[in-house]
Amino acid sequence: MRTQVAIIGAGPAGLLLGHLLKAEGIDCVVLERQTPDYVLGRIRAGVLEQITVSLMERLGLDARLKAEGLVEEGFNLADGERLIRIDVANLTGKTVTVYGQTEITRDLMDAAPDRGLPVIYGAEDVALHAIESDAPYVTFRKDGADQHINARFIAGCDGFHGPSRKAIPVSAAREFERVYPFGWLGILADVPPCNHELIYANHERGFALASMRSHTRSRYYVDVPLTEKIEDWSDERVWDELAIRLGPDAAANITRGPAIEKSIAPLRSYVFEPMRHGSLLLCGDAAHIVPPTGAKGLNLAASDVHYAAEALTGFFRRADTDAIAGYSAKALARVWKSERFSWSLTKLMHRFPDDGPFERAMQVAELDYISSSTAAQTSIAENYVGLPV
């Protein structure tokens, strides 16, 4: 098989890139190790920046997003009895949209056959070869048979554990990482949200987040030590803890219900440089991980895809090699700013095990400043809705 761009990974990043390239008449093939049902079963983020919404609009795949997505004009920071509302729409003129990553993936997946985007599911033992040449290729096994795809470029959209990043020589790379001493225990339930906007809460017992996927489906989180086991957290225990950490006003509006999904996700900040090596371009979690505080993961993947599609289109349409050469620097400039925002919001809203009275006093002072400063709120709002691409 021969194609112009071989895309590894059929999550939202890989599918989005595939659709953008096909719309420009560029041949591509998407490879995915898992089945479609498995891919759709991944419960992930649900707050979309304008860049992500705009890409779906450009593709004409935004009908369900516009019909079912919840447009959010602000969010809240809670600290004990205090609720600080960040009026995102008034401060920036922009909004975010609550629409699950699973739903974005479904929209992209469903449109692939009609748009002529080939997606090969069940591709096992994927390996990248000759990425430092102008003729890279990918090998894999499908239904027990060896397969081979020749390409001009490979796009690694295969997440943190995929083979793409690992194909780059260690001598050519730098890694930056911060592992946090806690994880987020998340519960998804078919109950109405306790507030029409997100609430990030800093409580003496720990962090909590009240979020939603729709008017009838809620997503909540509490932070827990990495030693905790999910089986020790009954639904009732999670709801009880949420009621305490979110404060009395939010607790009064919590509707309890059985969990559809419940899991513990460790938190880390991670960046891999460069995001391009030879004929390989990395996008999304293959190159960087952000803590979920601030909902940057999917949106960073979308901005990577925007830059990658722009660079690849320039190459194939105009023989422009400069955009390919500049892809990594351009993408990383936005990545690092988003990493900074997610790190700072995580530091502000969580109680770290090693923190003492001084660190807590700094959190209180920062929240006091945010509550009384339009400039501070504007800075937070600008980062929350997403910096320009």
Side-chain angles (χ1 to χ4, degrees):
M1 191 185 302
R2 180 174 295 279
T3 190
Q4 289 173 300
V5 182
I7 300 171
I8 315 300
L15 291 173
L16 189 57
L17 179 59
H19 277 289
L20 289 169
L21 294 178
K22 288 297 290 185
E24 295 292 338
I26 297 168
D27 287 336
C28 54
V29 176
V30 183
L31 296 176
E32 170 58 46
R33 181 169 62 93
Q34 303 291 353
T35 65
D37 287 344
Y38 183 94
V39 172
L40 288 173
R42 297 168 179 156
I43 305 296
R44 295 291 188 269
V47 178
L48 308 183
E49 295 176 5
Q50 191 56 51
I51 177 60
T52 310
V53 174
S54 295
L55 290 175
M56 295 297 285
E57 289 174 343
R58 188 203 302 182
L59 291 168
L61 298 177
D62 60 328
R64 203 160 65 93
L65 188 160
K66 290 295 176 61
E68 300 176 14
L70 306 179
V71 176
E72 295 281 286
E73 297 186 347
F75 70 102
N76 303 276
L77 303 176
D79 185 30
E81 300 295 322
R82 175 172 50 180
L83 195 67
I84 305 168
R85 182 173 186 266
I86 308 298
D87 190 343
V88 168
N90 187 52
L91 292 166
T92 68
K94 300 176 182 178
T95 58
V96 296
T97 303
V98 173
Y99 189 68
Q101 178 173 321
T102 300
E103 305 310 317
I104 286 275
T105 306
R106 188 186 305 277
D107 294 338
L108 294 166
M109 189 181 288
D110 289 348
D114 289 342
R115 300 289 178 96
L117 175 63
V119 184
I120 301 173
Y121 292 97
E124 301 177 331
D125 301 325
V126 173
L128 291 70
H129 307 271
I131 63 171
E132 294 174 342
S133 75
D134 291 342
Y137 62 97
V138 179
T139 58
F140 63 99
R141 290 180 64 80
K142 169 71 174 174
D143 298 328
D146 292 334
Q147 305 284 335
H148 185 118
I149 298 179
N150 294 303
R152 177 57 187 87
F153 289 98
I154 299 173
C157 305
D158 48 349
F160 185 78
H161 299 290
S164 296
R165 185 183 67 257
K166 298 168 187 173
I168 297 176
V170 173
S171 60
R174 290 196 300 170
E175 296 179 277
F176 305 82
E177 186 174 34
R178 169 69 190 274
V179 177
Y180 296 91
F182 41 70
W184 275 18
L185 189 159
I187 185 171
L188 185 71
D190 278 331
V191 295
C194 69
N195 192 295
H196 70 284
E197 294 178 340
L198 275 68
I199 302 174
Y200 290 84
N202 181 328
H203 189 272
E204 63 182 1
R205 291 176 64 92
F207 168 84
L209 170 62
S211 182
M212 74 288 288
R213 292 293 177 267
S214 69
H215 291 300
T216 58
R217 177 168 288 187
S218 298
R219 183 71 160 161
Y220 290 94
Y221 297 94
V222 293
D223 78 319
V224 296
L226 294 174
T227 53
E228 290 292 304
K229 294 180 170 53
I230 194 66
E231 53 266 26
D232 294 331
W233 285 82
S234 65
D235 290 0
E236 201 63 27
R237 184 185 177 190
V238 177
W239 291 119
D240 288 345
E241 195 64 29
L242 283 163
I244 295 170
R245 297 189 190 187
L246 289 170
D249 290 344
N253 293 308
I254 289 178
T255 302
R256 301 186 178 211
I260 300 172
E261 189 268 350
K262 193 163 53 179
S263 59
I264 297 176
L267 269 64
R268 63 153 56 114
S269 297
Y270 173 84
V271 179
F272 181 92
E273 296 183 355
M275 289 177 60
R276 168 191 161 260
H277 183 77
S279 295
L280 169 63
L281 283 67
L282 301 178
C283 296
D285 288 359
H288 44 73
I289 300 287
V290 290
T293 329
K296 293 298 164 197
L298 171 60
N299 296 300
L300 260 189
S303 64
D304 291 348
V305 165
H306 166 78
Y307 294 133
E310 195 176 60
L312 290 165
T313 300
F315 179 88
F316 288 112
R317 285 287 192 87
R318 301 181 299 277
D320 177 9
T321 58
D322 289 344
I324 293 290
Y327 165 72
S328 179
K330 199 170 188 178
L332 281 168
R334 195 172 191 274
V335 166
W336 276 114
K337 293 182 181 72
S338 293
E339 290 278 357
R340 183 206 67 82
F341 177 67
S342 296
W343 168 79
S344 63
L345 194 58
T346 301
K347 286 274 292 180
L348 177 64
M349 301 308 295
H350 291 73
R351 309 286 178 101
F352 284 70
D354 294 336
D355 285 355
F358 177 83
E359 287 79 12
R360 178 56 189 155
M362 289 298 98
Q363 287 183 332
V364 172
E366 179 72 8
L367 288 164
D368 280 343
Y369 174 58
I370 292 168
S371 69
S372 59
S373 169
T374 301
Q377 291 182 21
T378 301
S379 176
I380 291 172
E382 285 178 346
N383 282 274
Y384 189 74
V385 299
L387 298 174
V389 292

